[in-house]
Amino acid sequence: MDFKVVSACNPVLALGVREVDVILTVTGSGAGEVVKSTKKKVYGFVEDNSGSMDGEGKMQTANNSVCAAIDELTAEDYFFVISFDSSAVLRVPLTLATPAAKRAAREKIQRISPDGGTAMSKGLLGALREFQKADED
């Protein structure tokens, strides 16, 4: 299988900032063997709730989108939700997608509101920790 990696970032840093967040997209293509995985499926939702999400219904649209995605999970799937602004908050720890867990997650997600700066790396690091917990089980 061949892989292609594309990076995207804002090349202009604000005055005094020494870090830049980069988004990497990895795409696989080509012939590969299909193997049924015995590992559990884990879905991580990392939601931006920085101040830039204020106005024009952006935050509500993001919240509704995460809720809609969670509604599509099966009872065998696992998921977690992290939001980030200047820091990251684990809104829903790694959990099995039972109807009760999905309902509780929707309630928590709908309370997420915009505030603060945009520290995407903190949200992504939080997601990495949750994915690592899934591997430990």
Side-chain angles (χ1 to χ4, degrees):
M1 183 168 275
D2 296 320
F3 291 95
K4 177 181 173 185
V5 179
V6 177
S7 65
C9 68
N10 182 349
V12 181
L13 292 175
L15 188 62
V17 173
R18 297 190 185 281
E19 291 183 7
V20 64
D21 292 318
V22 177
I23 297 173
L24 295 177
T25 303
V26 179
T27 307
S29 63
E33 182 181 344
V34 176
V35 178
K36 182 159 175 69
S37 175
T38 58
K39 286 188 150 193
K40 60 186 168 192
K41 292 182 200 170
V42 179
Y43 297 87
F45 300 94
V46 181
E47 185 176 3
D48 179 357
N49 72 300
S50 65
S52 66
M53 296 297 286
D54 199 12
E56 301 176 18
K58 290 187 272 187
M59 190 79 257
Q60 191 60 48
T61 298
N63 289 347
N64 290 344
S65 297
V66 172
C67 287
I70 289 171
D71 285 342
E72 295 300 315
L73 299 177
T74 71
E76 293 82 36
D77 297 329
Y78 288 79
F79 74 100
F80 63 86
V81 179
I82 293 177
S83 66
F84 68 90
D85 49 28
S86 300
S87 60
V89 176
L90 180 60
R91 303 289 179 161
V92 179
L94 182 65
T95 188
L96 188 61
T98 64
K102 291 168 32 171
R103 187 172 39 258
R106 284 192 300 272
E107 291 172 7
K108 290 178 182 179
I109 291 164
Q110 291 301 339
R111 290 194 299 264
I112 298 173
S113 60
D115 187 36
T118 309
M120 184 188 304
S121 59
K122 292 182 180 179
L124 295 174
L125 285 172
L128 176 61
R129 284 191 290 275
E130 288 301 295
F131 280 121
Q132 288 171 333
K133 286 179 190 175
D135 282 343
E136 292 170 0
D137 295 338

